[in-house]
């Protein structure tokens, strides 16, 4: 038995006493204006098709896209990121830069329907458009050809710009991609179009379900020769700083939840805004555990997004964007 009972001088519990007080001292908050909702638009379908590995996520047709975006806007979402799935794929991903391709038409459609009410971001990559599923064009030996791919990315950027995009988001992790796209956009007079760079994008198994949704699984090999090794934190910061130098406006870290340390390191290394991408595998894992009754889905979603914001991300791309915006509203 201790002789003299001492009272704690400092009591952190005091500010946890009531909900009002907890809200007052909260260091981080969620706001629908900080969430970006992803949409998959598939050419050649009439109705929305469910993505089996991502319950609640669909591939939209050009027709179902507009009502889907309208629902997101009604929930408070102001920004969307689009992924296109073309009817025809080939070795060089020709459809990616087609002015009548699925992406260009999707962007035009949203612009036309929503004008400036919705910020339109496009994923700029080749993997959905190539028959081999890699993010770039290949050399004769079957390796991804960095510099030839840059030429293609520049063309894709111009096609998205002509369609009316606000920000392009290059996700292929080719060296020099941000500079190549910035040059192309500026050269064509699109100085106002921004670049949200997938700056620190890891070679992650958490992208598994996305490759179903975007029909973009590589036919051979993997993406480890262009995406970052999950073991490397300093290299991720180096990538982010290179993208800043090359002219990126927003730096993205991806995946988000398992990479909170990277979000924090990039936050400390730059003054640019940071986006984090809570990817398909993070979504599907929470969904599956929720459906099994192992986790309270709603609570875990809020906690996971709060943690990503706390780590230093201003904005979050998440497949939970619409339901979360609704629950916050
Ligand atoms: C490439 C791209 C991918 C994702 C976003 N853009 C796939 C990949 O790199 O394999 C993954 C997103 C997710 O898992 O939610 N176009």
């Amino acid at each position: 038995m201790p002789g003299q009972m001492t009272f704690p001088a400092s009591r952190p519990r005091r500010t946890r006493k009531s909900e009002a007080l907890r809200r007052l001292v909260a260091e981080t908050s969620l706001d629908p204006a900080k969430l970006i909702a992803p949409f998959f638009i598939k050419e050649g379908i009439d109705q929305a098709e469910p993505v089996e590995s991502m319950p609640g996520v669909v591939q939209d047709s050009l027709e179902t896209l507009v009502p889907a975006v309208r629902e997101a806007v009604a929930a408070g979402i102001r920004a969307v990121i689009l992924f296109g799935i073309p009817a025809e794929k080939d070795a060089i991903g020709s459809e990616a830069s087609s002015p009548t391709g699925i992406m260009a038409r999707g962007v035009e459609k949203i612009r036309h329907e929503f004008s400036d009410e919705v910020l339109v971001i496009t994923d700029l990559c080749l993997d959905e458009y190539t028959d081999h599923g890699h993010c770039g064009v290949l050399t004769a030996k079957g390796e991804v050809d960095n510099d030839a791919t840059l030429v293609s990315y520049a063309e894709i950027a111009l096609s998205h710009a002509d369609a009316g995009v606000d920000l392009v988001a290059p996700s292929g992790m080719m060296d020099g991609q941000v500079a190549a796209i910035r040059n192309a956009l500026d050269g064509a007079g699109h100085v106002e179009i921004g670049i949200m760079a997938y700056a620190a994008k890891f070679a992650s198994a958490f992208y598994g379900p996305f490759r179903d949704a975007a029909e973009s699984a590589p036919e051979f090999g993997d993406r480890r020769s262009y995406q970052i090794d999950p073991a490397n934190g300093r290299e991720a910061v180096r990538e982010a700083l290179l993208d800043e130098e090359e002219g990126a406006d927003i730096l993205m870290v991806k995946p988000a939840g398992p990479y909170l340390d990277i979000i924090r390191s990039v936050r400390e290394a730059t003054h640019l805004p940071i986006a984090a991408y809570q990817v398909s595998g993070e979504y599907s894992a929470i969904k599956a555990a929720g459906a099994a009754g192992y986790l309270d889905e709603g609570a875990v979603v809020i906690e996971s997004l709060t943690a990503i914001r706390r780590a230093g991300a201003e904005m979050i791309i998440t497949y939970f964007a619409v339901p979360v915006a609704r629950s916050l509203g």
Side-chain angles (χ1 to χ4, degrees):
M1 280 288 287
Q4 183 69 45
M5 170 79 182
T6 59
F7 296 100
S10 192
R11 294 183 185 268
R13 287 186 59 194
R14 265 189 208 117
T15 50
R16 299 179 195 142
K17 202 160 117 58
S18 66
E19 179 62 10
L21 198 44
R22 289 193 291 270
R23 293 284 287 273
L24 216 47
V25 301
E27 299 169 32
T28 310
S29 59
L30 289 177
D31 171 354
K34 300 290 197 185
L35 302 177
I36 302 169
F39 288 90
F40 299 99
I41 338 165
K42 184 170 174 174
E43 193 170 31
I45 58 171
D46 298 324
Q47 300 197 331
E49 290 180 0
V51 177
E52 210 187 1
S53 54
M54 300 178 73
V57 173
V58 299
Q59 295 174 324
D60 277 299
S61 72
L62 270 177
E63 284 63 42
T64 62
L65 178 66
V66 170
V69 172
R70 187 164 293 125
E71 232 180 273
V73 171
I77 295 294
R78 303 300 307 274
V80 300
I81 181 163
L82 305 180
F83 298 89
I85 307 152
E88 301 291 338
K89 304 184 187 228
D90 62 23
I92 56 169
S94 321
E95 271 299 304
S97 56
S98 162
T100 55
I102 187 70
M103 191 68 110
R105 287 163 66 200
V107 172
E108 279 163 5
K109 195 129 200 169
I110 296 181
R111 262 289 159 267
H112 181 257
E113 294 288 328
F114 301 94
S115 148
D116 284 339
E117 204 188 341
V118 174
L119 184 93
V120 183
I121 307 167
T122 49
D123 184 79
L124 193 166
C125 201
L126 278 172
D127 59 328
E128 295 94 349
Y129 300 87
T130 52
D131 51 15
H132 46 74
H134 279 286
C135 297
V137 295
L138 304 180
T139 63
K141 274 168 52 193
E143 286 163 352
V144 174
D145 185 337
N146 193 89
D147 297 3
T149 300
L150 296 183
V151 176
S152 172
Y153 284 179
E155 285 166 11
I156 302 172
L158 293 180
S159 73
H160 293 184
D162 289 339
V165 77
D166 293 296
L167 300 170
V168 293
S171 62
M173 291 299 286
M174 294 302 125
D175 293 336
Q177 64 184 12
V178 172
I181 291 167
R182 186 70 270 160
N183 277 334
L185 290 172
D186 290 351
H190 293 297
V191 292
E192 79 293 355
I193 293 178
I195 300 177
M196 174 189 277
Y198 283 73
K201 178 175 177 180
F202 288 85
S204 173
F206 282 95
Y207 306 153
F210 173 93
R211 293 176 188 171
D212 272 358
E215 302 178 15
S216 65
E219 286 292 312
F220 61 89
D222 52 45
R223 306 205 200 289
R224 281 183 285 191
S225 76
Y226 39 103
Q227 300 177 345
I228 307 172
D229 183 338
N232 297 352
R234 289 189 298 271
E235 187 180 334
V237 175
R238 177 176 176 224
E239 281 279 10
L241 293 178
L242 275 171
D243 283 2
E244 175 167 10
E245 265 171 51
E246 289 179 31
D249 300 283
I250 298 171
L251 299 174
M252 193 202 300
V253 175
K254 176 187 172 197
Y259 294 81
L260 296 180
D261 59 324
I262 308 295
I263 296 175
R264 170 50 56 102
S265 304
V266 174
R267 171 71 294 151
E268 285 169 357
T270 179
H271 290 137
L272 287 184
I274 294 178
Y277 196 148
Q278 184 181 52
V279 301
S280 57
E282 298 177 75
Y283 173 85
S284 298
I286 294 173
K287 274 286 186 192
Y294 298 157
L295 286 177
D296 174 345
E297 179 188 317
V300 167
V301 169
I302 295 293
E303 183 178 332
S304 67
L305 295 174
T306 302
I308 294 165
R309 293 265 295 126
R310 190 195 61 231
E314 270 79 40
M315 66 200 91
I316 307 173
I317 302 175
T318 171
Y319 301 97
F320 291 114
V322 177
V324 167
R326 217 175 266 137
S327 78
L328 293 172

